[in-house]
Amino acid sequence: MEWNIQLPSKTCANCAGQFGDKDPCHSVLAMNNVELIRRDYCAACFEGIREQAKSDAGSAYWKTVYKLVLPPPKVDPVKKDKVESLLRAYLAGEIDDETKKICYLLAVMLERKRVLKHLKTFSDTQNDKRVLAYQHAKTGESFAIPDPGLAMTEIPQLQARVKELLDTMDRPPAAPMPADPPPTPQS
Ligand SMILES: [Zn+2]
């Protein structure tokens, strides 16, 4: 499901011009069947579609500054990085009903920490699917999180499960079982 996390593209979707460092980048997300399609435009090309993009209820629009070189990740392994790593790992794999719920909860946690910014919730009534679109505050990536339609009563149990998953990440990998102790010489 590589459309779940999309990096800003290196070139404009319209003129194919390369983005330079610190160039403004106008991004539009739109739902296409079950996938979110992301298009990044340079300032000149975006002028031509600005009104349409901003008024279109079926798409989300945001503006960033293209960064040629991303700042190196902070070294301190703070909690939010664990939440983010877990979410990235889940989004990279097959998403079943359980992981969908976990991804949703992790995204909400990251939204509270302002790592992710909610852009829009897309709904595809034909397929009865809703997808939450987020923007990563630092990298400009877009994240698509399928809405699991959580019931309030499910949340406490799910929160416990997420805590368990995060705690597991703290633990060092299990040490190999010690071999039988050498026989103690009898005196
Ligand atoms: Zn362009």
Side-chain angles (χ1 to χ4, degrees), residues 12 14-17 42 45:
C12 170
N14 186 52
C15 69
C42 71
C45 290

Side-chain angles (χ1 to χ4, degrees), residues 60-157:
Y61 160 77
W62 73 103
K63 185 186 170 189
T64 42
V65 169
Y66 188 81
K67 290 178 198 129
L68 211 51
V69 183
L70 288 173
K74 284 206 184 98
V75 195
D76 56 338
V78 282
K79 265 223 170 90
K80 75 176 169 196
D81 292 335
K82 262 195 331 184
V83 176
E84 190 179 327
S85 324
L86 196 59
L87 178 62
R88 285 179 186 274
Y90 274 125
L91 289 178
E94 277 302 316
I95 300 179
D96 58 22
D97 279 347
E98 152 131 11
T99 47
K100 205 192 263 188
K101 291 175 184 177
I102 290 171
C103 286
Y104 173 77
L105 214 63
L106 292 170
V108 170
M109 289 165 81
L110 289 171
E111 187 184 356
R112 285 200 196 119
K113 292 170 185 196
R114 296 171 202 272
V115 175
L116 292 182
K117 190 179 154 209
H118 181 236
L119 291 166
K120 189 182 174 72
T121 300
F122 288 90
S123 53
D124 180 350
T125 42
Q126 271 188 345
N127 294 295
D128 191 27
K129 278 192 185 203
R130 276 155 50 94
V131 175
L132 297 119
Y134 289 92
Q135 180 208 343
H136 192 288
K138 287 223 171 80
T139 65
E141 290 162 297
S142 39
F143 281 61
I145 313 288
D147 184 351
L150 276 190
M152 288 300 272
T153 47
E154 287 181 280
I155 294 174
Q157 196 194 341

